[in-house]
Amino acid sequence: IGLYNASYGPQYECKPDNNPWNPPGDGLTQQNIPFPIFHILQTEAVQEIVQCYNKYNSKEVYPLCSMQMKSHMFGAVDAPTCIRRTTYQTTLTPLSPEMYCDAMGGWNMVASLKPLISRKNKTKSDSTILVTAALDSRAFMMLNTAPGNSLATGFITLLAVAKAIGGISEKQKNELNKNIMFVLFDGEAFDNIGSTRTVFDMQHMNFPVVKLEDIDSIVEIGELGHVDSQLYVHTDPMSAALHKSRLTQIDQIIAEINNNAQGINATKASSSVGLVPSSLQTFLKSRNLPGVVVTDYDKQTKNKYFFSRYDELKNLNINYNGNTTDEEMLQLLQPLAQKLSNVALATAKMLYLEAATTSILPPEISLNTSLVTEMLFCYLYKANCSLFTEATSTNSVTKLPNFPYNRYVTVFQTSTTGLPIINNWGVLSRNLLAIFTGEHLPDNSTTCQRSLSTDETTTYFYFNGKLNNGTRENFCVKSSSFVTKALAPAIEDNELTSNVENYGLWAESRWTTTTFNLRMFLQHDEVNQGMTLLAGLLVLLVSFTVVYIVDTKAETLFQPAEPVSTSY
């Protein structure tokens, strides 16, 4: 459900014939497809299918090569019905419940630049600037087919902003008049699950420390993968009209980008189409506040492979092949990294000026382009990289793969003890946020382990660190970071029917590994099949006749054997 409707900005409502922000999009992911779709990963199987087709089907004469695919799933009716039935079965038979489906969702990653004070100890609320980006992607298939590389450039830029402004001292952080909080939303690909839950938790005092009324403004970083020489800053014309005094913030963002982002010119996006689809829309539906969305497009997105398996590095003009080495890939990523670095550094400077209410920028706000290059490499090309290895917890046993992590949101999961089960790329993103914004303590494992207690506002991490002469330089970080649920509120407030449209409830069907089946065979024409069926029926009829005759004449046909005499 979008921001605009008949009562709020009807002229901006997104319709096929009015303000289409993604004209090439056909809405395929929203359609009900009444048959299974299979994605075959094995190259050998694909080759066999193609060979069978070319051999028998190209001539269009029988026999034809045919395939039969089976995929049984337990999903029932719709998401509310399916989840309600699953919940009922779990309550009724807790030992062996019949599970139909699971709610889509994950965990939002949050980090505060300014050290947080728990709600019970604070005397007043800090005005907070939210810097947000979507973390997840979407695709038909869950495996390695949801790269979402264009959208990933948004949260990579957010991490770069966190690194640039996180370089200021702890004293400077504490002296900020406004806090800066970085939020990576999960589940945004499915009706903004992450931001919807965040707003819900803030309204019901379930979000650590920050309430909805504490938010000063929001800066959202959207797609930047196709940024060329022009950058666009989007706003909601309706809320902007109510916050005319804050319009200077938009001008400040544009001015900072133009002054610091070399080779990139920022401008206000066209107001004729309203605010583009974004997490900011979710907040504006609950509270009217100033906010902007920074993207690489104006009225219409430049990425025609939006939420598609084809949204890969080549879609970002990174031309490589199977023989490209890691060093060559890093070189290929540098031009894009330079542009994102320019945008990130300019945004970081703007945020500091806004939060500190000063005109003097500290020299600590800086950014190395090589870091952004490595983040692009790790997120979009190969997760088995030095940056991710260094940012992995010392007690982690996860083996990093030689391919990028799939960012499909999947289903909401917790452990038996209620602790979050977070996907690997989500954990790494949280770790990077903690490293970039947290306080680095003395390199002493005893100090860090002794402080490993985690509360509402503070978390301690102990990371691998860089490899030096075969030894890891472990380091400890004290961070005001945490995770929050990215799960539709309709599930937990028992509003599966009345509020499901407002909450964006999605579910994924359960299945078993044995339900997936594919077989290939030759199919003859109808006459041949009819004759085969007729021959089978005749054989069946003759068989019944013979059995009947034999059964009725059994006494005649089968004489009892003479008893065997036994002498002792």
Side-chain angles (χ1 to χ4, degrees):
I1 304 300
L3 172 66
Y4 303 110
N5 50 49
S7 59
Y8 187 91
Q11 67 272 30
Y12 306 121
E13 194 171 0
C14 184
K15 297 179 179 179
D17 56 346
N18 180 36
N19 303 331
W21 68 277
N22 183 24
D26 54 11
L28 183 61
T29 57
Q30 304 285 356
Q31 297 180 17
N32 180 26
I33 301 174
F35 52 83
I37 299 176
F38 285 71
H39 179 205
I40 303 174
L41 298 177
Q42 292 81 0
T43 305
E44 298 79 7
V46 175
Q47 291 175 348
E48 290 180 5
I49 294 172
V50 173
Q51 290 173 1
C52 186
Y53 178 87
N54 291 335
K55 183 176 180 180
Y56 294 99
N57 294 30
S58 58
K59 299 178 182 178
E60 297 185 357
V61 294
Y62 288 95
L64 297 176
C65 183
S66 299
M67 295 184 62
Q68 183 183 61
M69 300 181 292
K70 292 182 180 180
S71 172
H72 176 71
M73 307 190 83
F74 296 99
V77 187
D78 53 28
T81 304
C82 193
I83 292 176
R84 185 169 57 250
R85 291 182 181 179
T86 298
T87 304
Y88 174 76
Q89 289 290 340
T90 305
T91 305
L92 185 66
T93 56
L95 296 179
S96 57
E98 185 71 27
M99 306 295 287
Y100 296 101
C101 59
D102 299 289
M104 302 289 291
W107 295 88
N108 301 319
M109 311 298 154
V110 188
S112 171
L113 181 66
K114 191 174 181 180
L116 296 175
I117 302 174
S118 64
R119 189 176 280 121
K120 62 182 179 181
N121 295 329
K122 65 191 305 186
T123 56
K124 67 174 183 176
S125 299
D126 287 325
S127 183
T128 302
I129 303 173
L130 288 188
V131 185
T132 69
L135 187 60
D136 63 310
S137 183
R138 180 176 179 178
F140 279 114
M141 306 297 170
M142 175 179 160
L143 298 174
N144 296 318
T145 56
N149 285 349
S150 293
L151 196 60
T153 54
F155 73 76
I156 290 174
T157 303
L158 180 144
L159 291 172
V161 173
K163 172 63 177 176
I165 198 171
I168 62 177
S169 66
E170 294 302 311
K171 180 176 181 296
Q172 291 170 315
K173 293 176 183 178
N174 282 295
E175 291 175 349
L176 292 174
N177 294 319
K178 299 176 185 178
N179 188 21
I180 300 174
M181 182 170 284
F182 300 93
V183 186
L184 295 174
F185 291 122
D186 203 5
E188 293 300 276
F190 291 91
D191 287 339
N192 295 354
I193 294 176
S195 56
T196 300
R197 181 53 184 260
T198 299
V199 171
F200 179 85
D201 286 343
M202 287 182 173
Q203 290 174 327
H204 293 79
M205 302 291 288
N206 291 327
F207 191 90
V209 182
V210 180
K211 298 177 291 185
L212 189 61
E213 52 266 31
D214 294 336
I215 300 177
D216 173 80
S217 56
I218 296 177
V219 177
E220 180 175 349
I221 304 176
E223 286 191 60
L224 296 176
H226 297 86
V227 61
D228 189 11
S229 59
Q230 194 72 41
L231 202 65
Y232 297 92
V233 180
H234 303 259
T235 59
D236 169 36
M238 304 294 291
S239 60
L242 299 176
H243 296 279
K244 292 182 179 180
S245 61
R246 298 299 303 275
L247 292 179
T248 54
Q249 183 190 42
I250 302 173
D251 296 330
Q252 189 177 27
I253 292 174
I254 294 173
E256 285 298 326
I257 292 176
N258 289 335
N259 291 335
N260 297 282
Q262 300 177 3
I264 297 178
N265 179 55
T267 185
K268 292 181 181 179
S270 174
S271 61
S272 62
V273 297
L275 183 63
V276 295
S278 56
S279 304
L280 176 58
Q281 286 198 14
T282 305
F283 285 86
L284 291 176
K285 284 191 289 185
S286 299
R287 184 197 158 198
N288 206 298
L289 49 79
V292 297
V293 180
V294 181
T295 69
D296 57 12
Y297 61 90
D298 185 11
K299 296 181 180 180
Q300 298 173 350
T301 179
K302 296 179 180 179
N303 176 21
K304 63 180 180 179
Y305 300 118
F306 192 80
F307 284 157
S308 163
R309 60 181 294 224
Y310 300 107
D311 183 14
E312 53 188 13
L313 273 176
K314 293 180 180 178
N315 183 42
L316 302 179
N317 297 321
I318 308 298
N319 298 315
Y320 67 99
N321 53 48
N323 298 322
T324 303
T325 64
D326 291 353
E327 291 73 18
E328 291 171 339
M329 177 56 69
L330 289 170
Q331 290 291 330
L332 292 173
L333 290 169
Q334 280 188 359
L336 176 60
Q338 184 63 61
K339 294 178 181 179
L340 299 185
S341 299
N342 292 338
V343 175
L345 184 58
T347 305
K349 291 180 178 180
M350 178 278 300
L351 288 171
Y352 181 84
L353 294 175
E354 180 69 17
T357 60
T358 180
S359 58
I360 302 175
L361 283 168
E364 291 86 353
I365 298 181
S366 61
L367 183 62
N368 193 330
T369 304
S370 62
L371 174 65
V372 181
T373 304
E374 192 163 6
M375 283 197 290
L376 288 170
F377 180 92
C378 298
Y379 277 110
L380 307 184
Y381 182 68
K382 183 186 292 186
N384 188 9
C385 60
S386 58
L387 178 64
F388 279 1
T389 303
E390 295 165 12
T392 301
S393 175
T394 54
N395 59 6
S396 175
V397 294
T398 302
K399 184 177 180 180
L400 299 173
N402 290 320
F403 49 81
Y405 278 119
N406 160 41
R407 288 183 294 281
Y408 183 78
V409 62
T410 69
V411 298
F412 180 80
Q413 300 180 75
T414 57
S415 66
T416 55
T417 58
L419 295 176
I421 296 179
I422 309 172
N423 48 51
N424 292 328
W425 52 272
V427 170
L428 288 165
S429 300
R430 180 198 63 183
N431 291 352
L432 288 176
L433 271 179
I435 293 171
F436 293 160
T437 61
E439 178 184 1
H440 289 232
L441 301 179
D443 185 15
N444 186 311
S445 60
T446 305
T447 303
C448 195
Q449 295 294 336
R450 188 171 60 247
S451 305
L452 277 180
S453 59
T454 300
D455 57 22
E456 184 185 40
T457 60
T458 306
T459 306
Y460 292 85
F461 300 90
Y462 195 53
F463 295 116
N464 282 330
K466 295 183 180 297
L467 185 65
N468 187 11
N469 295 326
T471 303
R472 288 286 173 187
E473 297 178 347
N474 305 140
F475 64 99
C476 182
V477 172
K478 175 185 176 183
S479 171
S480 290
S481 63
F482 49 89
V483 298
T484 64
K485 289 182 179 179
L487 178 67
I491 295 175
E492 297 192 10
D493 69 351
N494 297 318
E495 293 288 348
L496 288 176
T497 54
S498 60
N499 285 331
V500 65
E501 292 185 356
N502 296 327
Y503 289 154
L505 178 63
W506 287 78
E508 183 176 280
S509 175
R510 283 286 185 105
W511 66 88
T512 60
T513 56
T514 58
T515 59
F516 292 93
N517 178 270
L518 185 151
R519 67 188 185 100
M520 186 165 54
F521 55 91
L522 293 181
Q523 178 181 350
H524 293 274
D525 58 62
E526 291 80 357
V527 176
N528 193 299
Q529 294 180 48
M531 293 180 64
T532 303
L533 177 62
L534 181 59
L537 292 174
L538 289 174
V539 171
L540 180 64
L541 181 60
V542 171
S543 300
F544 272 119
T545 304
V546 171
V547 171
Y548 176 77
I549 294 173
V550 171
D551 183 63
T552 56
K553 303 294 183 180
E555 294 181 358
T556 305
L557 295 173
F558 305 103
Q559 293 293 333
E562 291 291 336
V564 179
S565 60
T566 305
S567 59
Y568 298 92

